[in-house]
Amino acid sequence: MAEAQTLPDANIWDAVWLNVNLATMNGPGYGEVPRGAIAVRDGRIAWLGLQDNLPSTAHAHVEYDGRGQWLTPGLIDCHTHVVYAGNRSDEFEDRLKGVAYEEIARRGGGILSTVRATRAASEVELLTASRARVASLLAEGVTTLEIKSGYGLDTDTEARMLRVARAIGATMPVRVATTFLGAHAIPIEYKGRADDYISLVCNEMLPALARERLIDAVDAFCENIAFTPQQTARVFDAATALKLPVKLHAEQLSDQGGARLVARYRGLSADHLEWLTDDGIQAMATAGTVAVLLPGAFYFLRETRLPPVQALRDAGVAIAVATDCNPGTSPMPSILTAMNMACTLFRMTPEESLAGTTRNAAAALGLSTEVGMLAVGKRADFALWTIDRPADLSYMLGFNPCTAVVNAGKLRAPRS
Ligand code: DI6
Ligand code: FE
């Protein structure tokens, strides 16, 4: 894309993109504005509409010719575990020989094997390993990224993970939202003493990390192989006391009533949800809790039970889609792949899958006023694509048509 013109003294807009088809994700469908234009100022969207309706007085310091490409909101990956050390392809091999994920976890593998590797890694090693995965996401137009802790399970390592997440946001062109997932697994030194570990999470880790401003939200893994609803509620009470929003890994492998629980705390999201039942759906609808679906984990675990997409639609629950990028159940740093899988595996429509990585993903992070759609006043985060129609983003598999990304009004190449 060429810089067309620079005006010397213009003081209205910093930049304008001309000859673009906008998928604003604002309004019905994709919120399409064909033959559109979009202008930014001070990192925000200052104007958008049909190019023919550009005000005749409009000036911009820089004009870009979009050459008929599609322009969408920057994509948002609202559920990831991209910060970790080590590698679990050995367990992938074991699972292919028939060993169950829960069995690997019981043997001290699974999450705990990543905990060992992460505890042993320095901050620099962790940052280097994580940056490569983040770069893969950014190349596909991601401009906002949630990153969870949860592979430290002690105060120092949880802090190190969250500092690395903050460093990613400070040094790479992406906005990072951090989530404290201290209640991800029971660390080896607390084996058989889950309640004591939860006390550590609530009384020591959470306040210390919140004081360092490392936590934007608090998550837990409510599951047979992890924490009970009662233990999860203790974590949520501690988070609520610190005025931190909550979310939950809920109903991934069994029905624990997790969605109902997180809705009771007006949680931002309930994530996974293959085993979600009707009362959980109703509770989420009432609370405005977003359903975050993670088809990558469903795929890698070769699950067969589908999340209740139609019932979520019927209840009016907003559905987001994310990668769950993690070394055990979703080694997949690709948001476009997650969007394709949301359609092929979960039977979502391409329109729902794009809403799931823009507008609804923003809601899942509590960032709806800032990002997730193209509208005047929102942060100027967007992506340009050489596609014929927005549905192509979900339709193609293993293909990246992203040509440029704009973060807070600043243009970058997808791989930069
Ligand atoms: N559910 C998941 O899918 C990931 N964490 C969680 O609570 C798995 C994390 C891992 O296996 O490392
Ligand atoms: Fe997860």
Side-chain angles (χ1 to χ4, degrees):
M1 193 164 47
E3 212 169 278
Q5 201 183 353
T6 305
L7 302 171
D9 62 346
N11 58 4
I12 301 180
W13 295 333
D14 296 330
V16 64
W17 278 259
L18 303 171
N19 303 319
V20 284
N21 297 302
L22 305 175
T24 65
M25 303 315 288
N26 186 5
Y30 296 101
E32 294 178 38
V33 182
R35 292 175 301 284
I38 185 165
V40 305
R41 185 187 170 129
D42 296 333
R44 304 258 152 198
I45 297 172
W47 188 92
L48 64 82
L50 291 170
Q51 183 155 326
D52 285 348
N53 294 345
L54 270 171
S56 55
T57 56
H59 286 291
H61 288 294
V62 188
E63 280 185 14
Y64 296 101
D65 181 357
R67 297 187 183 139
Q69 294 179 84
W70 279 87
L71 190 153
T72 67
L75 302 186
I76 300 171
D77 194 348
C78 68
H79 180 139
T80 85
H81 310 248
V82 286
V83 170
Y84 64 84
N87 173 308
R88 306 231 304 264
S89 57
D90 53 342
E91 292 176 10
F92 180 62
E93 291 180 303
D94 285 344
R95 279 200 287 113
L96 286 168
K97 289 181 200 139
V99 187
Y101 179 66
E102 286 98 327
E103 173 57 25
I104 290 170
R106 260 182 237 111
R107 291 177 187 175
I111 293 172
L112 291 183
S113 85
T114 301
V115 170
R116 282 192 292 277
T118 304
R119 285 179 173 179
S122 70
E123 200 159 316
V124 171
E125 287 164 343
L126 210 45
L127 181 60
T128 304
S130 308
R131 280 177 71 97
R133 295 183 280 269
V134 174
S136 164
L137 290 166
L138 300 200
E140 295 183 343
V142 168
T143 54
T144 299
L145 178 63
E146 188 255 20
I147 301 178
K148 299 177 195 297
S149 69
Y151 291 121
L153 311 183
D154 62 38
T155 310
D156 282 356
T157 315
E158 289 290 304
R160 193 152 73 248
M161 288 186 75
L162 293 170
R163 277 189 219 114
V164 166
R166 287 280 190 241
I168 288 168
T171 60
M172 298 178 82
V174 64
R175 166 196 281 257
V176 169
T178 60
T179 299
F180 172 60
L181 178 57
H184 192 196
I186 301 153
I188 192 84
E189 61 276 16
Y190 279 86
K191 196 168 180 193
R193 296 188 294 135
D195 283 313
D196 292 345
Y197 178 63
I198 292 295
S199 297
L200 180 79
V201 166
C202 296
N203 303 335
E204 184 180 319
M205 290 187 187
L206 239 178
L209 305 179
R211 218 175 301 123
E212 256 194 80
R213 302 221 169 280
L214 289 172
I215 304 179
D216 295 328
V218 175
D219 193 355
F221 189 18
C222 184
E223 193 55 68
N224 285 322
I225 56 169
F227 298 98
T228 64
Q230 292 72 23
Q231 290 159 344
T232 303
R234 289 177 60 200
V235 175
F236 286 177
D237 286 335
T240 305
L242 293 166
K243 299 196 167 34
L244 292 169
V246 300
K247 56 176 85 174
L248 190 63
H249 282 74
E251 274 74 270
Q252 179 184 10
L253 306 169
S254 63
D255 177 20
Q256 302 276 323
R260 224 181 311 126
L261 176 67
V262 71
R264 189 142 56 75
Y265 288 81
R266 302 214 149 264
L268 291 169
S269 68
D271 303 38
H272 286 286
L273 303 176
E274 280 81 349
W275 291 80
L276 180 63
T277 54
D278 285 342
D279 62 329
I281 295 171
Q282 285 317 318
M284 289 172 69
T286 305
T289 299
V290 176
V292 177
L293 301 188
L294 304 166
F298 178 92
Y299 169 83
F300 277 98
L301 293 174
R302 289 182 294 152
E303 297 286 352
T304 52
R305 188 184 166 105
L306 290 164
V309 171
Q310 188 56 46
L312 287 165
R313 282 184 191 121
D314 292 345
V317 175
I319 303 175
V321 173
T323 63
D324 195 17
C325 182
N326 78 69
T329 61
S330 193
M332 186 179 85
S334 170
I335 191 89
L336 294 176
T337 306
M339 288 168 65
N340 174 270
M341 288 178 170
C343 298
T344 54
L345 299 176
F346 293 169
R347 292 285 176 260
M348 288 172 64
T349 67
E351 193 183 299
E352 288 172 324
S353 110
L354 186 55
T357 55
T358 55
R359 186 177 65 235
N360 294 344
L365 296 178
L367 293 174
S368 291
T369 57
E370 280 287 289
V371 292
M373 57 170 78
L374 303 177
V376 170
K378 303 268 188 210
R379 197 172 134 110
D381 284 357
F382 37 85
L384 283 111
W385 312 90
T386 47
I387 52 175
D388 296 325
R389 310 167 56 228
D392 292 351
L393 296 177
S394 298
Y395 163 66
M396 305 279 286
L397 178 63
F399 179 67
N400 180 6
C402 185
T403 62
V405 186
V406 174
N407 300 85
K410 300 260 183 307
L411 180 69
R412 68 167 164 93
R415 292 196 174 274
S416 63

PDB file of all heavy atoms in Angstrom, residues 79 81 148 249 272 294 324 326, ligand 2:
ATOM      1  N   HIS A  79      -8.482 -14.998  24.900  1.00  0.00           N
ATOM      2  CA  HIS A  79      -8.171 -16.097  25.837  1.00  0.00           C
ATOM      3  C   HIS A  79      -6.903 -16.794  25.352  1.00  0.00           C
ATOM      4  O   HIS A  79      -6.944 -17.568  24.398  1.00  0.00           O
ATOM      5  CB  HIS A  79      -9.355 -17.076  25.891  1.00  0.00           C
ATOM      6  CG  HIS A  79      -9.151 -18.251  26.812  1.00  0.00           C
ATOM      7  ND1 HIS A  79     -10.148 -18.727  27.633  1.00  0.00           N
ATOM      8  CD2 HIS A  79      -8.087 -19.070  27.032  1.00  0.00           C
ATOM      9  CE1 HIS A  79      -9.712 -19.773  28.322  1.00  0.00           C
ATOM     10  NE2 HIS A  79      -8.452 -20.008  27.965  1.00  0.00           N
ATOM     11  N   HIS A  81      -2.821 -18.443  26.665  1.00  0.00           N
ATOM     12  CA  HIS A  81      -1.784 -18.766  27.653  1.00  0.00           C
ATOM     13  C   HIS A  81      -0.443 -18.728  26.899  1.00  0.00           C
ATOM     14  O   HIS A  81       0.320 -19.675  26.958  1.00  0.00           O
ATOM     15  CB  HIS A  81      -1.990 -20.167  28.226  1.00  0.00           C
ATOM     16  CG  HIS A  81      -3.372 -20.488  28.725  1.00  0.00           C
ATOM     17  ND1 HIS A  81      -3.652 -20.691  30.055  1.00  0.00           N
ATOM     18  CD2 HIS A  81      -4.558 -20.690  28.077  1.00  0.00           C
ATOM     19  CE1 HIS A  81      -4.952 -21.006  30.200  1.00  0.00           C
ATOM     20  NE2 HIS A  81      -5.519 -21.011  29.018  1.00  0.00           N
ATOM     21  N   LYS A 148      -2.800 -14.947  30.049  1.00  0.00           N
ATOM     22  CA  LYS A 148      -3.008 -15.444  31.410  1.00  0.00           C
ATOM     23  C   LYS A 148      -1.692 -15.882  32.040  1.00  0.00           C
ATOM     24  O   LYS A 148      -0.807 -16.376  31.344  1.00  0.00           O
ATOM     25  CB  LYS A 148      -3.934 -16.667  31.378  1.00  0.00           C
ATOM     26  CG  LYS A 148      -5.312 -16.371  30.806  1.00  0.00           C
ATOM     27  CD  LYS A 148      -6.150 -17.644  30.728  1.00  0.00           C
ATOM     28  CE  LYS A 148      -7.368 -17.473  29.844  1.00  0.00           C
ATOM     29  NZ  LYS A 148      -8.334 -16.478  30.317  1.00  0.00           N
ATOM     30  N   HIS A 249     -12.613 -20.648  33.407  1.00  0.00           N
ATOM     31  CA  HIS A 249     -12.570 -21.865  32.583  1.00  0.00           C
ATOM     32  C   HIS A 249     -13.689 -22.760  33.125  1.00  0.00           C
ATOM     33  O   HIS A 249     -13.536 -23.353  34.199  1.00  0.00           O
ATOM     34  CB  HIS A 249     -11.240 -22.583  32.749  1.00  0.00           C
ATOM     35  CG  HIS A 249     -10.102 -21.993  31.987  1.00  0.00           C
ATOM     36  ND1 HIS A 249      -9.487 -20.824  32.346  1.00  0.00           N
ATOM     37  CD2 HIS A 249      -9.461 -22.430  30.868  1.00  0.00           C
ATOM     38  CE1 HIS A 249      -8.506 -20.567  31.489  1.00  0.00           C
ATOM     39  NE2 HIS A 249      -8.475 -21.527  30.578  1.00  0.00           N
ATOM     40  N   HIS A 272     -14.821 -21.996  27.279  1.00  0.00           N
ATOM     41  CA  HIS A 272     -14.872 -23.423  26.877  1.00  0.00           C
ATOM     42  C   HIS A 272     -16.329 -23.855  26.687  1.00  0.00           C
ATOM     43  O   HIS A 272     -16.816 -23.926  25.576  1.00  0.00           O
ATOM     44  CB  HIS A 272     -14.147 -24.375  27.851  1.00  0.00           C
ATOM     45  CG  HIS A 272     -12.677 -24.305  27.758  1.00  0.00           C
ATOM     46  ND1 HIS A 272     -11.965 -24.836  26.716  1.00  0.00           N
ATOM     47  CD2 HIS A 272     -11.755 -23.752  28.592  1.00  0.00           C
ATOM     48  CE1 HIS A 272     -10.675 -24.628  26.910  1.00  0.00           C
ATOM     49  NE2 HIS A 272     -10.531 -23.948  28.032  1.00  0.00           N
ATOM     50  N   LEU A 294     -13.652 -22.042  22.395  1.00  0.00           N
ATOM     51  CA  LEU A 294     -12.240 -22.311  22.121  1.00  0.00           C
ATOM     52  C   LEU A 294     -12.117 -23.581  21.294  1.00  0.00           C
ATOM     53  O   LEU A 294     -11.792 -24.657  21.819  1.00  0.00           O
ATOM     54  CB  LEU A 294     -11.497 -22.426  23.465  1.00  0.00           C
ATOM     55  CG  LEU A 294     -11.671 -21.182  24.361  1.00  0.00           C
ATOM     56  CD1 LEU A 294     -11.231 -21.455  25.790  1.00  0.00           C
ATOM     57  CD2 LEU A 294     -10.921 -19.988  23.793  1.00  0.00           C
ATOM     58  N   ASP A 324      -7.058 -19.875  22.785  1.00  0.00           N
ATOM     59  CA  ASP A 324      -6.643 -20.648  23.967  1.00  0.00           C
ATOM     60  C   ASP A 324      -5.182 -21.073  23.820  1.00  0.00           C
ATOM     61  O   ASP A 324      -4.772 -22.071  24.423  1.00  0.00           O
ATOM     62  CB  ASP A 324      -7.553 -21.868  24.170  1.00  0.00           C
ATOM     63  CG  ASP A 324      -7.411 -22.511  25.553  1.00  0.00           C
ATOM     64  OD1 ASP A 324      -6.875 -21.856  26.459  1.00  0.00           O
ATOM     65  OD2 ASP A 324      -7.836 -23.671  25.720  1.00  0.00           O
ATOM     66  N   ASN A 326      -1.971 -22.503  24.078  1.00  0.00           N
ATOM     67  CA  ASN A 326      -1.268 -23.053  25.237  1.00  0.00           C
ATOM     68  C   ASN A 326      -0.555 -24.331  24.818  1.00  0.00           C
ATOM     69  O   ASN A 326      -0.902 -24.921  23.799  1.00  0.00           O
ATOM     70  CB  ASN A 326      -2.261 -23.291  26.395  1.00  0.00           C
ATOM     71  CG  ASN A 326      -3.092 -24.549  26.208  1.00  0.00           C
ATOM     72  OD1 ASN A 326      -2.586 -25.659  26.278  1.00  0.00           O
ATOM     73  ND2 ASN A 326      -4.386 -24.390  25.933  1.00  0.00           N
TER      74      ASN A 326
HETATM   75 FE    FE B   2      -7.454 -21.748  28.640  1.00  0.00          FE
END
